[in-house]
Amino acid sequence: MIYQSLTRIKKKNATYNLIMAGRDTGKSTAITRELIDDYKATGHKFIRLFRKTGNSYDAADSWFDEYNEGGKFYEGDVFEFRSDGCYYINGELFGYTAIISLARNYRSAVYPASVYTAVYDEYIGITPDEYVDGEVKKFKSILTTVFRHRECKIWLLGNNYNEMSKYNPFHTYFGIDIDRDKIKQGDIRVYKSKRFKNPAKIAFEFGRIAYESEEEIPLSERIDGNEVATSGEFAR
């Protein structure tokens, strides 16, 4: 198995970093490792964004399970997700959460300057009707509230579920067109606005498929018409 790494895309030094890859390729593991290492090295905190309340938010408390006792990356730290909607490491607050569909509720909120990173895991919906009305605008509104005029790092991680995955509000907003730009698995492209002399960089990575052989593909996935899950490619 080849798991997702942030090493290559980080070299682009972009403000916005989007990764679209197959399911179970290690995207969440890679970003949580990054958040932990950054906090320990610099004290930077993060905010994790969710589309709406429901299944994803209900599972928020399991995001760092691999690093708790019994997890394969356990190093002696204790991670908690508490009822205040925040993440803690060894009793110290190091991460916040926000719900995009409730963006107006955060307009008057004030976040400490130590919050440097925003993560939107699952930014790609399985179907078009999953997105909330004005999702990108609400997403940007929360970022403005959190960071004000400070520098920041934004991560968006998503799965290429099906042919429609590449056509989503965030790709449209950032000008990412997989067909037009002939982006293939493993490619990283950098986009910039033409309105500014020194615009923010937007890096997009089309992640490699994790499977290296048929034996690694779950038997239930070895069926015709399942190219996205088994090869990472879109069905033609």
Side-chain angles (χ1 to χ4, degrees):
M1 299 283 284
I2 301 175
Y3 291 105
Q4 183 68 48
S5 167
L6 307 185
T7 302
R8 294 194 308 135
I9 196 169
K10 284 175 63 177
K11 291 179 180 178
K12 302 300 181 182
N13 195 30
T15 298
Y16 293 88
N17 301 270
L18 295 85
I19 299 176
M20 183 181 78
R23 300 186 69 177
D24 300 321
T25 55
K27 297 184 295 296
S28 294
T29 299
I31 194 62
T32 49
R33 179 78 269 174
E34 174 74 11
L35 296 174
I36 294 168
D37 290 346
D38 192 33
Y39 176 76
K40 290 183 176 181
T42 67
H44 285 158
K45 297 180 174 67
F46 70 91
I47 184 165
R48 183 185 180 189
L49 281 71
F50 295 83
R51 176 167 287 115
K52 59 185 76 171
T53 57
N55 293 340
S56 293
Y57 187 77
D58 291 343
D61 61 346
S62 64
W63 212 33
F64 289 95
D65 276 1
E66 291 183 302
Y67 304 95
N68 268 324
E69 187 171 5
K72 60 182 177 180
F73 302 124
Y74 177 63
E75 298 175 349
D77 297 307
V78 177
F79 295 88
E80 301 172 88
F81 181 72
R82 298 183 182 176
S83 59
D84 59 0
C86 294
Y87 289 96
Y88 292 78
I89 178 173
N90 301 323
E92 297 180 353
L93 190 156
F94 89 120
Y96 299 83
T97 59
I99 311 297
I100 292 175
S101 63
L102 304 177
R104 66 176 60 187
N105 296 353
Y106 305 100
R107 290 176 182 172
S108 59
V110 177
Y111 293 85
S114 56
V115 179
Y116 176 73
T117 306
V119 180
Y120 186 10
D121 207 352
E122 305 290 352
Y123 80 93
I124 298 174
I126 298 178
T127 59
D129 59 2
E130 278 194 25
Y131 301 100
V132 301
D133 291 340
E135 181 160 325
V136 176
K137 184 176 181 178
K138 291 174 180 177
F139 169 80
K140 289 289 294 167
S141 175
I142 293 176
L143 296 185
T144 299
T145 296
V146 173
F147 299 112
R148 302 298 177 178
H149 301 291
R150 303 192 305 272
E151 294 298 316
C152 58
K153 189 72 70 175
I154 315 299
W155 292 91
L156 297 95
L157 312 175
N159 296 317
N160 55 325
Y161 294 107
N162 49 51
E163 177 72 13
M164 292 305 298
S165 297
K166 56 185 174 180
Y167 308 113
N168 63 74
F170 292 91
H171 289 186
T172 300
Y173 179 77
F174 289 118
I176 299 167
D177 190 318
I178 291 174
D179 294 329
R180 178 198 65 204
D181 300 334
K182 299 179 180 179
I183 302 175
K184 300 178 181 179
Q185 284 182 276
D187 288 350
I188 298 178
R189 299 293 174 89
V190 174
Y191 297 83
K192 298 179 183 179
S193 169
K194 297 180 180 179
R195 293 180 53 197
F196 305 95
K197 292 182 179 179
N198 184 29
K201 284 185 181 179
I202 300 128
F204 172 74
E205 179 175 354
F206 188 178
R208 302 183 180 96
I209 195 70
Y211 304 126
E212 296 182 87
S213 67
E214 179 176 315
E215 288 69 30
E216 293 179 342
I217 301 174
L219 190 60
S220 61
E221 300 286 356
R222 301 180 204 172
I223 54 177
D224 290 338
N226 198 30
E227 287 85 353
V228 168
T230 57
S231 70
E233 298 177 355
F234 295 101
R236 296 297 180 185

